[in-house]
Amino acid sequence: MDLASIVGLVGAFGMVIFTAISTAGSIVGLTRLLNLPSFALVVVGSFFAVMVANKWNVSLGIFGAIKRTFSIPAFNEAAIIQKLVAFSEKARREGLLALEDELEDLEDEFMKKGLRLVVDGTDAVIIRDLLELEVTQMQIRHGINHALLMTWAGGAPAFGMMGTVIGLVNMLSNLDDKSSIGPNMAMALITTLYGSLIANVTVAPWSVKLKGHSTSEGAVKEMIIEGVLSIQAGDNTRILAMKLLAYLEPAVAKTMSAELLKD
C-alpha cells in the first residue's frame, strides 16, 4: 500500500474541508460545497469526454490503472541481481549451456526470455534489439494510461467552466427571481472548484505516479538486459555485479555490494 497516495488525498481534501468549515464558522460551510449536479457535470461529464478520444476498453481500463497508484510495485531488484550474479558464476564455471536447466524455474519471464536467447547462441545485437523492443512496447502501453489521465485532467477544469457558464446563464435569465440568484451563482463557482480539485488533486497526480512506476519498471528491465548480455560476453562476475548495482539506490547498492563484492 502506497501511504503517500492515501495521505496526500486525505490531506488535500482535508484542507479544503477545514477551510470551508473554518471560514463559515460551522459545518454549514462544508454542506455549501456539496452540489450533486456540479459533481456529475465535472467528474462524469469530463470522463465521458475522455471516452470520445479513446477506445471503450482503454477508457474503462483507466480505473485499473488508478488502482495501481495506491500500491507500491515490487520489482525485486535485489533478488534479480543475486540471480544474475549466480547465473554468471555458473556460466563461467560450466558454460552457457549449463544455464538451460535453470530457466524452467525462473519466474521473471523477461529474464527467462533473454537467457533463453543466450543459451540458444543468439547474437548479442539481436538479443538487445529484441529485449529493448519489448521494453519500448511496454512503455507505449503505459503511456496510453498517462495520456488518458492527462486528457481527463485537462477536461475537468473545462467542464468546471461549463458549469460556471450554465450557472451564470440561469442567473442572468432570471434576475427577477432573487431567490434563484444564490443557488445559480453557487453552482457557477462550485463547478470551478470541482474541476480544479479533480484535475490537480487526483487525476494529474495519478498520471505522474503511474509514469514513475513505468520508469522504474523500465530501469529494471534495462538492468536485466545489461546482466544478460554481460553473462553472454563472459564478463567477470565482479564487473557484472558492479554494473547491476549502479541501477539501485545508493544506500541499497552499498549494502548489497558488501555482500556481492566481498573478497
Side-chain angles (χ1 to χ4, degrees):
M1 185 65 70
D2 191 340
L3 289 178
S5 292
I6 297 173
V7 172
L9 280 177
V10 172
F13 281 104
M15 291 307 300
V16 173
I17 293 171
F18 170 76
T19 303
I21 295 175
S22 298
T23 53
S26 69
I27 194 67
V28 175
L30 176 60
T31 60
R32 290 170 181 168
L33 296 182
L34 303 179
N35 187 293
L36 182 58
S38 295
F39 181 85
L41 175 64
V42 173
V43 179
V44 182
S46 60
F47 179 73
F48 281 141
V50 169
M51 293 182 70
V52 175
N54 296 275
K55 296 179 181 179
W56 176 264
N57 62 321
V58 173
S59 298
L60 296 183
I62 196 60
F63 296 106
I66 290 173
K67 182 179 178 181
R68 291 195 291 274
T69 66
F70 292 93
S71 60
I72 301 175
F75 299 119
N76 301 316
E77 295 97 322
I80 289 173
I81 291 176
Q82 290 173 339
K83 182 69 70 174
L84 287 169
V85 168
F87 283 153
S88 174
E89 291 174 343
K90 183 167 185 175
R92 285 172 62 82
R93 287 195 314 266
E94 306 174 28
L96 293 175
L97 291 178
L99 300 179
E100 187 169 13
D101 294 336
E102 306 284 344
L103 298 183
E104 294 304 321
D105 297 328
L106 195 58
E107 295 181 359
D108 191 301
E109 292 296 328
F110 187 77
M111 189 193 303
K112 182 187 290 188
K113 181 181 295 184
L115 290 173
R116 172 63 66 187
L117 291 169
V118 168
V119 171
D120 290 343
T122 308
D123 184 77
V125 174
I126 296 176
I127 293 176
R128 181 180 291 277
D129 288 344
L130 288 174
L131 295 181
E132 289 190 344
L133 176 62
E134 185 169 331
V135 174
T136 299
Q137 293 305 309
M138 177 201 74
Q139 292 172 334
I140 290 174
R141 291 192 300 272
H142 291 175
I144 293 173
N145 288 331
H146 309 155
L148 193 153
L149 284 171
M150 291 310 297
T151 300
W152 196 355
F159 271 79
M161 289 304 299
M162 292 181 197
T164 300
V165 172
I166 292 172
L168 291 175
V169 168
N170 289 334
M171 182 186 71
L172 295 174
S173 299
N174 198 20
L175 286 176
D176 293 336
D177 183 5
K178 294 184 179 180
S179 64
S180 68
I181 294 177
N184 285 320
M185 179 59 75
M187 179 184 178
L189 297 177
I190 290 173
T191 49
T192 301
L193 173 64
Y194 284 176
S196 180
L197 284 174
I198 295 302
N200 298 300
V201 178
T202 60
V203 184
W206 285 335
S207 177
V208 173
K209 180 147 287 186
L210 285 176
K211 189 173 184 179
H213 290 177
S214 179
T215 300
S216 297
E217 186 173 359
V220 171
K221 291 189 182 300
E222 289 292 342
M223 179 183 73
I224 291 174
I225 293 173
E226 290 301 323
V228 167
L229 293 178
S230 288
I231 290 173
Q232 184 191 47
D235 288 345
N236 181 283
T237 301
R238 187 180 184 88
I239 294 175
L240 177 142
M242 293 176 67
K243 283 183 180 180
L244 301 183
L245 289 172
Y247 286 88
L248 300 180
E249 293 289 335
V252 179
K254 183 177 181 180
T255 302
M256 286 200 68
S257 64
E259 176 185 350
L260 297 178
L261 303 179
K262 62 184 178 181
D263 296 330

